[in-house]
Amino acid sequence: MKKLIVASALAFTMLAGLATSPKVQASRTAKSAKVSFKQYKINKKYKNGVKANYYFNLPHLKGKSAAIKKINKDLLKKYKSSSYTTSTGIFKTAKKASEGKLKDYAFVTKNCTYYDITKTSVSYNKNGVISFKVYHNEWDGIRGGVIKNGGYKIDNKTKAYKEMLGGWTYSLKNGKILNIKDTARGTKASIQKKLDAGVTKYFGVKKGETIDLTYYLKNGKLYVYPYLIGFFNWNNFYAKHNPPIYYNSHFTIPSRYK
């Protein structure tokens, strides 16, 4: 997933290195890949009615080429960086919360379910490119709130959850991650113009504001979404933006891959 920063009056997206457009595929490149999914689903219960649910369906490409191995390695890395496999994941946090060890913090500690959900599906798989649509939804027990006077004021009635739509796109030729600049149709200037128009019209980005982008390929188009990460995703923070920017807000631009 490529993080692209967009800002300023017409928006500025970092698309360095797009002097020429890459070829669609080399003659020996696999046109498509066979994909299977491994489901990781774990549910745990703790004291005081606290639960923790984890789900991740991990894509795996069939094949022994260097490109396939590289893609599978990156996909596995994404799974291994998720909360189930990290020391700060939802299970560790939920256990601490249920035992009252987080009572002095902004955590819900009774009768609740922590969750970390990642769902993936193939959205494009031809012309030497594979793209996955990715949905992620996570709540690690933190209460919601509002930003006030440079700080975060807790609101016991809401949850600070993180929800995103986006994608992962790879070249079957060399296994590299493909960013917007690699898959959108047109020159650097024309792609920039389309992104400027999109974030201005659909996300309401104004001068001095910053937003990250993510995308997936489907039916000859890039579906471009806001990459709402970290603190600014909590409790749909961008939903308070004027106009609102939701996790499923998006626009499309043409792809060079039909």
Side-chain angles (χ1 to χ4, degrees):
M1 186 179 295
K2 174 67 173 179
K3 187 171 77 171
L4 300 171
I5 300 175
V6 182
S8 84
L10 291 178
F12 172 78
T13 305
M14 294 195 302
L15 293 173
L18 192 60
T20 59
S21 300
K23 295 181 179 179
V24 172
Q25 66 178 47
S27 58
R28 295 182 180 179
T29 301
K31 292 183 178 180
S32 62
K34 292 183 179 180
V35 185
S36 61
F37 292 85
K38 185 173 183 179
Q39 315 294 325
Y40 292 90
K41 186 176 182 180
I42 303 173
N43 301 323
K44 293 187 178 183
K45 295 181 180 180
Y46 302 97
K47 298 177 181 179
N48 297 313
V50 176
K51 302 177 182 178
N53 297 339
Y54 174 86
Y55 178 84
F56 196 113
N57 66 321
L58 176 64
H60 181 82
L61 278 59
K62 184 178 181 180
K64 297 182 180 180
S65 70
I68 294 297
K69 290 180 179 179
K70 186 174 182 178
I71 294 171
N72 283 334
K73 183 178 180 180
D74 188 71
L75 292 171
L76 184 61
K77 182 180 178 181
K78 294 181 187 303
Y79 161 68
K80 287 185 174 181
S81 66
S82 65
S83 76
Y84 171 62
T85 54
T86 62
S87 60
T88 56
I90 59 168
F91 294 110
K92 183 176 181 179
T93 305
K95 186 175 186 298
K96 283 186 175 181
S98 70
E99 295 171 346
K101 296 179 180 179
L102 298 177
K103 61 182 179 180
D104 295 330
Y105 298 89
F107 288 88
V108 180
T109 59
K110 294 182 179 180
N111 303 317
C112 62
T113 300
Y114 292 27
Y115 55 84
D116 185 341
I117 300 168
T118 302
K119 298 180 179 180
T120 63
S121 60
V122 177
S123 60
Y124 187 91
N125 188 13
K126 56 184 178 179
N127 295 319
V129 172
I130 187 164
S131 186
F132 298 96
K133 179 180 178 180
V134 182
Y135 169 78
H136 180 73
N137 194 3
E138 179 183 351
W139 182 59
D140 52 7
I142 300 177
R143 300 179 189 276
V146 294
I147 294 177
K148 188 175 182 180
N149 298 326
Y152 190 69
K153 184 178 180 181
I154 299 300
D155 176 5
N156 293 330
K157 297 181 180 180
T158 60
K159 297 178 180 179
Y161 60 90
K162 307 168 188 177
E163 193 168 19
M164 289 184 285
L165 263 174
W168 308 325
T169 303
Y170 300 90
S171 165
L172 294 173
K173 176 183 177 181
N174 51 34
K176 291 184 178 179
I177 297 172
L178 298 178
N179 301 313
I180 290 177
K181 67 184 179 65
D182 301 311
T183 56
R185 185 198 307 168
T187 63
K188 178 179 179 179
S190 65
I191 294 172
Q192 180 68 63
K193 187 175 181 180
K194 292 167 188 173
L195 290 172
D196 290 346
V199 298
T200 301
K201 180 177 180 180
Y202 296 97
F203 301 159
V205 173
K206 302 178 180 65
K207 185 177 181 179
E209 293 182 330
T210 304
I211 192 168
D212 300 330
L213 301 178
T214 179
Y215 82 101
Y216 62 84
L217 288 179
K218 185 177 180 180
N219 298 330
K221 297 179 182 179
L222 279 74
Y223 285 72
V224 184
Y225 288 81
Y227 187 42
L228 305 180
I229 57 174
F231 180 81
F232 295 104
N233 188 286
W234 289 1
N235 201 31
N236 266 345
F237 173 82
Y238 275 114
K240 300 175 179 63
H241 183 272
N242 185 21
I245 307 174
Y246 299 103
Y247 80 96
N248 56 355
S249 300
H250 70 281
F251 61 93
T252 63
I253 60 176
S255 171
R256 65 188 56 166
Y257 297 99
K258 297 295 185 179

